[in-house]
Amino acid sequence: MSRELNGILKALEATLRKSIGQKKKRASSLFTPMSVAHVDDDEEPEPGQLHHLDKILPNGDLYNGQWCDNYPQGNGKYLWADGCMYVGEWRKGRKVGKGKFSWPNGATYEGEFKNEFMEGKGTYSGFSGDTYKGSWVMNLKHGQGIEKYSSGDCYEGEWLKGLQDGQGKYQWVNGDHYVGQWKNGMFNGNGTMVWSTGNRFDGCWEDGLPKGNGTFRWENGDVYIGVWSNDPSEQNGTYYPAGSCGGTLEWDPQEVYSMDLKGCKISPCEKILIYPSQKVIYKPGLEGEVLKHMDDVDRKSREGYEGMGSPQLEGSIPRARKPPPLRVKPAKKQGVTISKGHKNYELMLNLQLGIRHSVGRPAPSASLDLKPSAFDPKEKVWTKFPPEGSKHTPPHPSCEFRWKDYCPVVFRALRKLFKVDPADYMISICGNDALRELSSPGKSGSFFYLTNDDRYMIKTMKKAEVKVFLRMLPAYYKHVRTFENTLVTRFYGLHCVRLTGAAQKKVRFVIMWNLFCSGHPIHRRFDLKGSTFGRTTDKPESEIDATTTLKDLDLNYIFRLQKAWYQEFCRQVDRDCDFLEHERIMDYSMLVGLHFREISGSDSFSSNRTSGARSSPGSGSFDNGVGPRLSTGSIDQLLVDPNRYPSTSLGINMPARAELTVRRSDGDTPQLVGEPTGEFYEIIIYFGIIDILQDYDISKKLEHAYKSMHYDPTTISAVDPRQYSKRFRDFIFKVFVEDT
């Protein structure tokens, strides 16, 4: 033991002896004053009595604070003989609540404790100069947090089990920075590296290095687009000098690996040699029981995360009956890859060539203030693509075709407004990966295609839909520019491919954002309109999987949003419906995707349920009704606060709760929204308004007249836009409610 520590112990011992000799009642000045009994050598406290204790324990530990029934209880300071110290709240001998733990080397943790663990919000200041401020789970950084390294670097973002994992930003002291996805403490997924020189790389990463599609930009405007790999034989791409339409390979991209990335090393996090949960209290004559008690704490804490654990703990939340786990049939990646030999293979090649030409064509910087002439339906550009190539088009293996861009200036401005990077847009649609065709066309007869990275969806359109879209395009542009959180579909381009030959076939299509492109798998998806006629899925339960789109009468949840999100949701739904009603649009729907946070297996998930009371973030699924239990690796699904998702916005990555409902079967008209049961799933929810290009034309009026003669007019989809808007809002505001 060091001289300094010996000196501290002797001074404390002298103070304690003096205090005991005077036999005065007092409370420690370190804590909030309260009435407690002071115990001296002649008095024994009654069982359950809270009293103040100043004691040097036989093993050299010291305790000063409140005590009850052989345990620290309330506020107290415990100094271990090795120099570790905890000052804060106790409950039955456990570190629970707010406190500060310090190590002999000078490191400190100040924040929340739960069942002996650093858990909740807290700040760790290391002996080497590192500082972490953020969320903790079981002594590990887990959730949202900021790490400032002794080197001067800084990381801000998501953590998982002590490592950077998820979305985050790393800033080097020299000004370089990386923003994007992480996995196991390394760059992994989509991300952007920006050097202090002004150069940047946007694209895919794997194990800390560029891997896959990516774009390198120089400060002077030069661009290299291609497929990246640390293995030169796997890399290919094209170099585009600034202001040039043509491309050449005049630069070795391996320079990025050998030079640019050489200094971009991630600083290691400081190791914690001993955790607060490993420091046990000493009880004379009961050492074995103390160790057993601490083992139980460790076991129960790991099994029953968030302190809701065993039924014996005070403050545990009453639990509802455990229902059968909801089964999620595993689903393969949506769609069929359009490879050579597919009937639409040439159409895909034409589409990719056309997009590359449209987006890559030199044009002045798109201004968001557009002239009325930009919206003229006659504002379109035709380009001929012969197989042998031309002055403005490359040679290609497909047949000759003509390509049309509708209102190109408007859609270039929309992509800029929606923050779509042109190079990323081209790589997603026109890269080396083929598109995927969804297995069956929609009800309208349109076909859907997905890009390989799931970012964009391409939908074929009828001529009537194109006319509606061009008619409403000025109002649509004004609406999405005015309301950043609009829920209506984001459109990025409107095009036409005209094949040569006798058929002169024309294929019109629109490019849209895919709402369900996210880091979370979508387990359930719903298409909701507020009508009941034909609004159920014609599939047996055994065939429903995560890609099945369920409808209104299949819905068995209401979605509870946090107050601020709910208020913004109501305002935006009203704005969007007013816009669609004014444009005489109907038959739109709310597309909803659910990611259930408590996955218990590969094909099922069990509910994290409470009976009326809100379940606390981080609680696990229940095992046989005894208590929450974390299976191997399930810390990955631990819940954290909404700040965990930096990209969260209205309808995207939103934390919420899905309350199970049950429909009444009485009456001829089915109940549209079931009765709430008080049982909840913790979810991440995605939603948006889709199919906004159907106006109330003569065909819809005839459909309304015909169906009204056979069915209740209030239950059918084809109704006047004003009536449709009111019914849609009434329904949606019953399905989405405020979480109280």
Side-chain angles (χ1 to χ4, degrees):
M1 193 178 298
S2 67
R3 292 183 179 179
E4 184 179 356
L5 185 57
N6 275 322
I8 293 173
L9 291 174
K10 289 180 180 179
L12 283 172
E13 186 176 1
T15 302
L16 291 174
R17 286 174 177 168
K18 183 178 179 181
S19 173
I20 294 171
Q22 292 173 345
K23 297 183 179 180
K24 290 182 178 181
K25 293 181 180 180
R26 59 185 178 85
S28 171
S29 61
L30 292 170
F31 309 111
T32 305
M34 65 179 291
S35 177
V36 295
H38 183 81
V39 179
D40 58 25
D41 296 334
D42 301 320
E43 297 178 359
E44 285 293 333
E46 297 179 4
Q49 180 184 4
L50 185 67
H51 58 281
H52 191 89
L53 184 70
D54 293 323
K55 191 174 184 65
I56 300 177
L57 302 173
N59 69 337
D61 295 352
L62 296 109
Y63 180 76
N64 172 275
Q66 296 165 334
W67 192 272
C68 181
D69 292 339
N70 295 321
Y71 289 112
Q73 177 78 14
N75 291 307
K77 176 170 69 173
Y78 196 103
L79 177 64
W80 283 268
D82 63 2
C84 293
M85 182 171 68
Y86 172 76
V87 181
E89 299 177 59
W90 299 80
R91 190 172 77 178
K92 294 186 177 179
R94 305 183 184 117
K95 308 173 194 74
V96 175
K98 293 184 178 180
K100 181 176 181 179
F101 191 93
S102 56
W103 287 262
N105 60 13
T108 62
Y109 168 83
E110 187 167 5
E112 298 176 5
F113 289 81
K114 194 165 291 182
N115 287 337
E116 301 287 344
F117 293 96
M118 298 184 290
E119 189 156 310
K121 299 291 185 182
T123 300
Y124 175 82
S125 300
F127 67 90
S128 66
D130 286 7
T131 302
Y132 171 82
K133 183 177 182 179
S135 297
W136 298 76
V137 171
M138 296 182 183
N139 294 329
L140 299 175
K141 301 161 189 171
H142 190 95
Q144 191 74 12
I146 301 175
E147 175 92 15
K148 294 183 179 179
Y149 301 88
S150 57
S151 62
D153 298 350
C154 179
Y155 171 82
E156 180 175 2
E158 298 176 71
W159 297 76
L160 182 71
K161 296 188 283 188
L163 295 172
Q164 300 94 330
D165 202 299
Q167 191 75 16
K169 176 180 179 180
Y170 192 97
Q171 180 85 38
W172 282 270
V173 68
N174 65 357
D176 299 348
H177 68 267
Y178 169 85
V179 180
Q181 295 175 307
W182 296 68
K183 187 174 182 180
N184 295 327
M186 302 173 73
F187 312 149
N188 209 94
N190 292 318
T192 298
M193 173 74 77
V194 180
W195 286 267
S196 57
T197 59
N199 298 343
R200 63 182 286 165
F201 173 84
D202 301 87
C204 299
W205 298 75
E206 186 177 295
D207 296 333
L209 296 173
K211 183 68 179 291
N213 289 321
T215 303
F216 191 90
R217 295 176 177 84
W218 284 263
E219 186 181 17
N220 65 359
D222 293 355
V223 177
Y224 176 90
I225 302 175
V227 178
W228 293 71
S229 174
N230 197 22
D231 182 354
S233 64
E234 297 178 357
Q235 180 153 351
N236 65 80
T238 307
Y239 175 83
Y240 296 91
S244 172
C245 298
T248 59
L249 186 61
E250 300 175 352
W251 172 72
D252 183 5
Q254 290 300 309
E255 290 182 17
V256 174
Y257 296 91
S258 60
M259 297 174 62
D260 297 82
L261 291 171
K262 192 173 182 181
C264 299
K265 304 298 182 184
I266 308 302
S267 296
C269 295
E270 182 179 297
K271 300 294 184 183
I272 299 176
L273 300 180
I274 187 168
Y275 294 109
S277 57
Q278 296 173 293
K279 299 301 296 180
V280 300
I281 61 172
Y282 175 84
K283 290 174 62 179
L286 297 174
E287 292 84 349
E289 290 188 23
V290 169
L291 293 175
K292 181 177 181 298
H293 162 73
M294 297 310 297
D295 287 342
D296 288 344
V297 167
D298 183 81
R299 177 178 54 79
K300 290 176 181 177
S301 296
R302 292 191 178 276
E303 292 178 352
Y305 173 71
E306 195 68 20
M308 292 171 59
S310 66
Q312 293 80 14
L313 291 180
E314 299 174 8
S316 60
I317 299 175
R319 289 180 277 277
R321 65 189 182 279
K322 180 179 181 296
L326 180 58
R327 297 284 169 183
V328 178
K329 187 178 179 181
K332 297 180 180 179
K333 201 168 187 178
Q334 277 187 287
V336 177
T337 300
I338 304 176
S339 54
K340 198 164 186 178
H342 191 283
K343 64 178 182 178
N344 288 325
Y345 179 70
E346 286 198 346
L347 178 63
M348 180 193 72
L349 293 181
N350 299 343
L351 186 154
Q352 292 178 321
L353 285 165
I355 293 293
R356 187 180 290 114
H357 173 75
S358 299
V359 178
R361 184 172 56 233
S365 179
S367 170
L368 297 182
D369 297 318
L370 303 180
K371 296 178 181 179
S373 59
F375 297 94
D376 189 337
K378 296 179 182 179
E379 186 70 18
K380 50 197 173 188
V381 179
W382 278 102
T383 305
K384 188 176 180 180
F385 281 79
E388 67 275 10
S390 68
K391 182 178 178 181
H392 301 291
T393 63
H396 59 85
S398 181
C399 61
E400 181 176 319
F401 68 95
R402 295 186 71 193
W403 172 264
K404 182 195 289 188
D405 279 324
Y406 294 91
C407 300
V409 175
V410 177
F411 286 102
R412 185 177 285 112
L414 281 171
R415 292 193 294 270
K416 182 177 180 180
L417 183 67
F418 292 132
K419 298 180 175 59
V420 175
D421 182 84
D424 291 343
Y425 186 67
M426 276 199 291
I427 289 171
S428 291
I429 301 174
C430 315
N432 293 339
D433 297 314
L435 302 178
R436 303 197 314 275
E437 183 179 70
L438 298 192
S439 56
S440 60
K443 187 178 178 182
S444 64
S446 298
F447 283 85
F448 292 86
Y449 303 92
L450 279 173
T451 58
N452 190 62
D453 58 8
D454 288 332
R455 281 189 180 185
Y456 305 107
M457 182 173 285
I458 301 167
K459 176 188 176 185
T460 61
M461 300 180 71
K462 296 179 180 178
K463 187 175 181 179
E465 290 180 304
V466 172
K467 287 184 176 180
V468 171
F469 191 15
L470 292 175
R471 186 206 76 208
M472 64 183 286
L473 188 56
Y476 171 83
Y477 182 81
K478 180 180 178 181
H479 182 76
V480 298
R481 187 179 178 188
T482 304
F483 302 111
E484 184 180 359
N485 283 334
T486 181
L487 298 175
V488 297
T489 306
R490 297 180 184 180
F491 295 112
Y492 299 138
L494 181 63
H495 311 282
C496 175
V497 170
R498 179 177 174 180
L499 304 178
T500 58
Q504 293 285 306
K505 180 182 178 182
K506 286 185 179 180
V507 180
R508 303 169 184 87
F509 56 90
V510 65
I511 301 177
M512 307 175 290
W513 173 54
N514 180 17
L515 176 64
F516 293 156
C517 177
S518 73
H520 299 103
I522 302 299
H523 299 127
R524 280 286 181 266
R525 54 190 75 199
F526 296 91
D527 183 275
L528 308 175
K529 293 186 177 183
S531 57
T532 56
F533 178 73
R535 298 299 294 163
T536 186
T537 302
D538 299 327
K539 274 189 176 183
E541 181 69 27
S542 59
E543 294 182 16
I544 293 175
D545 62 20
T547 64
T548 303
T549 301
L550 304 173
K551 299 180 182 178
D552 300 65
L553 294 180
D554 304 311
L555 182 67
N556 56 340
Y557 305 104
I558 57 176
F559 307 117
R560 296 192 173 273
L561 308 181
Q562 297 171 12
K563 182 177 181 180
W565 283 124
Y566 176 72
Q567 292 173 344
E568 177 59 24
F569 171 80
C570 293
R571 286 193 293 265
Q572 195 56 54
V573 168
D574 282 333
R575 293 164 182 159
D576 291 339
C577 287
D578 287 343
F579 158 68
L580 295 171
E581 181 182 331
H582 183 266
E583 294 299 313
R584 301 288 294 166
I585 301 297
M586 44 77 65
D587 215 23
Y588 47 88
S589 56
M590 182 74 79
L591 184 64
V592 180
L594 308 180
H595 168 77
F596 290 84
R597 302 173 102 169
E598 301 281 327
I599 300 297
S600 60
S602 60
D603 64 345
S604 68
F605 56 87
S606 55
S607 60
N608 172 28
R609 306 221 174 176
T610 59
S611 186
R614 184 180 181 112
S615 55
S616 54
S619 49
S621 57
F622 295 115
D623 181 15
N624 299 326
V626 176
R629 186 173 300 277
L630 292 177
S631 59
T632 303
S634 59
I635 193 171
D636 295 356
Q637 284 88 38
L638 289 177
L639 307 182
V640 292
D641 58 41
N643 293 329
R644 172 174 178 177
Y645 303 98
S647 59
T648 297
S649 59
L650 187 66
I652 304 171
N653 269 337
M654 284 181 57
R657 294 197 298 163
E659 183 174 2
L660 199 66
T661 60
V662 177
R663 279 191 178 82
R664 294 194 305 267
S665 57
D666 54 329
D668 296 331
T669 303
Q671 186 181 14
L672 196 54
V673 181
E675 302 294 332
T677 63
E679 299 178 327
F680 299 90
Y681 293 97
E682 296 284 349
I683 61 172
I684 298 292
I685 190 168
Y686 299 79
F687 52 81
I689 298 175
I690 63 169
D691 294 336
I692 64 169
L693 299 179
Q694 176 62 60
D695 65 346
Y696 195 52
D697 57 12
I698 187 63
S699 64
K700 287 295 179 181
K701 291 176 182 177
L702 291 174
E703 180 185 341
H704 172 77
Y706 174 78
K707 289 184 177 178
S708 295
M709 291 188 294
H710 298 84
Y711 311 102
D712 182 352
T714 63
T715 67
I716 61 179
S717 295
V719 295
D720 177 86
R722 182 176 298 179
Q723 182 183 346
Y724 191 95
S725 173
K726 182 181 184 304
R727 184 180 66 187
F728 179 81
R729 293 188 226 200
D730 291 344
F731 171 62
I732 291 300
F733 292 148
K734 290 177 183 177
V735 174
F736 288 82
V737 298
E738 182 181 343
D739 196 343
T740 55

